[in-house]
Amino acid sequence: MAAQILDGKEIAGKLGEQVRAEVKAFTAKHGVTPMLTVVIVGEDPASKVYVASKHKTCVELGMKSEVVRLSETATEEELLAVIDRLNADPLNHGILVQLPVPKHIDSEKVLERIRPDKDVDGFHPVNVGKLSIGKEHLVPCTPYGVIKMLEISGISVAGKNAVVIGRSNIVGKPMAALLLSRSATVTVTHSKTKDLASVCAQADILVAAIGKPEFVTKDMIKPGAVVIDVGINRLPTGKLVGDVKFDEASEVAGYITPVPGGVGPLTIAMLMYNTLRAAELQLQN
Ligand code: NDP
């Protein structure tokens, strides 16, 4: 039987409605509207598309949004000065520096400069540390979106075998931490993992975050498993595919996310959610 499709657009739409209602209530109660500022350095075409889409979604959900554009040649000091200004601005609640930044800028230094309670990407070491001790403060948007997708779809996590392929700081590691804190038995795999196919075939929930087109094949999937494809890869033909070979995987899986239209829309929905959460956190401080 073919797998049930987890429709990211539909789920993100539901989340968006929830955020819109909460933003309205927040604004009415506190007399201030949650605001996100995205900082972009340079002219990377993909980054410009992402930034425009974040700005548009913010406005659609009733939040304020500003985009700060710096030239490709902007110095690290100039970028840090922008962050310092935004950190100190009480009307700005969330700061996101669009990655990648040009090579002459140290991205780690930049991310660490953002106030942890304005860090809507959840990449600051304070937020990473909190997540690892089970205190979810501001959580990276993509893995958090996967968790929301499972929750909204009524898929339970506790007691399940979860295998995460990939151990990046933005997807794999926080994904594993979130699954663990929801009582899955979690295995994190990577490029040095031996016999990856048989490890994956034990998974009730398989999350692929590798960055290799159609890497996960049918033989790596347990019949009935939940298969979450985080990957976004563009083939030379221009076609967008995930890290999972969708057609054959959906013959075996119980649930599967498509690419595009799976995890991607959830990532942006969670950025909006985090901006609202950041505004709430700042009122508490
Ligand atoms: P990274 O390149 O940072 O990490 C990839 C991970 O995959 C690494 O841990 C690497 O292992 C592992 N890996 C690579 N090759 C293999 C292999 N042959 N077998 C097992 N593991 C392997 O990627 P990201 O985590 O940043 O992104 C992963 C994918 O998700 C990309 O396609 C990216 O575009 C997409 N993405 C999608 C988002 C969305 O909104 N949907 C958001 C963010 C990312 P090792 O550590 O050993 O090198």
Side-chain angles (χ1 to χ4, degrees):
M1 207 175 73
Q4 202 169 316
I5 307 286
L6 295 170
D7 184 338
K9 269 196 204 153
E10 190 189 321
I11 297 169
K14 284 186 190 164
L15 263 170
E17 284 315 313
Q18 192 185 321
V19 171
R20 189 204 306 274
E22 287 182 35
V23 166
K24 200 172 168 194
F26 182 95
T27 305
K29 185 169 175 196
H30 302 291
V32 53
T33 303
M35 175 171 176
L36 171 70
T37 301
V38 179
V39 185
I40 177 167
V41 187
E43 299 292 330
D44 179 63
S47 293
K48 281 165 114 174
V49 172
Y50 292 141
V51 169
S53 149
K54 286 165 186 172
H55 174 75
K56 183 168 162 268
T57 313
C58 253
V59 174
E60 279 168 5
L61 299 189
M63 291 193 271
K64 289 189 179 163
S65 164
E66 188 194 349
V67 180
V68 176
R69 293 184 176 83
L70 298 181
S71 79
E72 187 77 33
T73 55
T75 63
E76 188 174 285
E77 287 65 34
E78 282 170 312
L79 176 54
L80 293 175
V82 169
I83 294 172
D84 289 343
R85 171 176 70 75
L86 296 169
N87 277 342
D89 179 354
L91 296 178
N92 174 74
H93 304 98
I95 305 169
L96 183 151
V97 176
Q98 185 66 42
L99 298 176
V101 287
K103 285 196 174 59
H104 63 275
I105 295 177
D106 178 351
S107 60
E108 226 169 278
K109 196 168 169 186
V110 168
L111 297 179
E112 288 184 23
R113 191 69 158 248
I114 298 171
R115 253 172 62 169
D117 61 355
K118 294 194 176 190
D119 167 39
V120 286
D121 254 342
F123 295 160
H124 191 286
V126 166
N127 288 324
V128 175
K130 287 194 174 179
L131 177 60
S132 80
I133 58 167
K135 284 193 168 32
E136 291 167 16
H137 199 236
L138 289 168
V139 175
C141 301
T142 300
Y144 206 15
V146 171
I147 291 293
K148 287 283 171 197
M149 179 182 247
L150 296 174
E151 274 175 21
I152 292 174
S153 308
I155 296 169
S156 65
V157 171
K160 300 272 176 70
N161 278 340
V163 173
V164 180
I165 319 177
R167 55 174 164 179
S168 73
N169 291 335
I170 59 169
V171 188
K173 283 183 198 153
M175 188 73 254
L178 287 164
L179 289 163
L180 182 60
S181 66
R182 283 157 182 77
S183 300
T185 303
V186 183
T187 306
V188 183
T189 65
H190 46 77
S191 66
K192 304 288 185 295
T193 299
K194 292 212 168 71
D195 199 4
L196 182 68
S198 65
V199 177
C200 292
Q202 303 297 313
D204 303 308
I205 299 173
L206 181 64
V207 182
I210 317 157
K212 293 209 153 87
E214 302 181 320
F215 179 88
V216 175
T217 46
K218 196 174 172 175
D219 56 303
M220 299 167 80
I221 299 169
K222 180 177 171 179
V226 179
V227 177
I228 306 287
D229 189 353
V230 177
I232 302 177
N233 311 286
R234 198 169 287 281
L235 297 179
T237 58
K239 189 182 174 205
L240 216 55
V241 296
D243 288 346
V244 176
K245 218 170 185 153
F246 182 83
D247 288 348
E248 62 173 62
S250 52
E251 290 169 16
V252 193
Y255 294 87
I256 191 164
T257 60
V259 176
V263 175
L266 265 300
T267 298
I268 195 150
M270 294 318 289
L271 176 64
M272 304 300 127
Y273 179 95
N274 276 354
T275 303
L276 172 63
R277 177 98 185 97
E280 287 166 353
L281 285 169
Q282 282 151 61
L283 278 190
Q284 288 162 19
N285 290 339

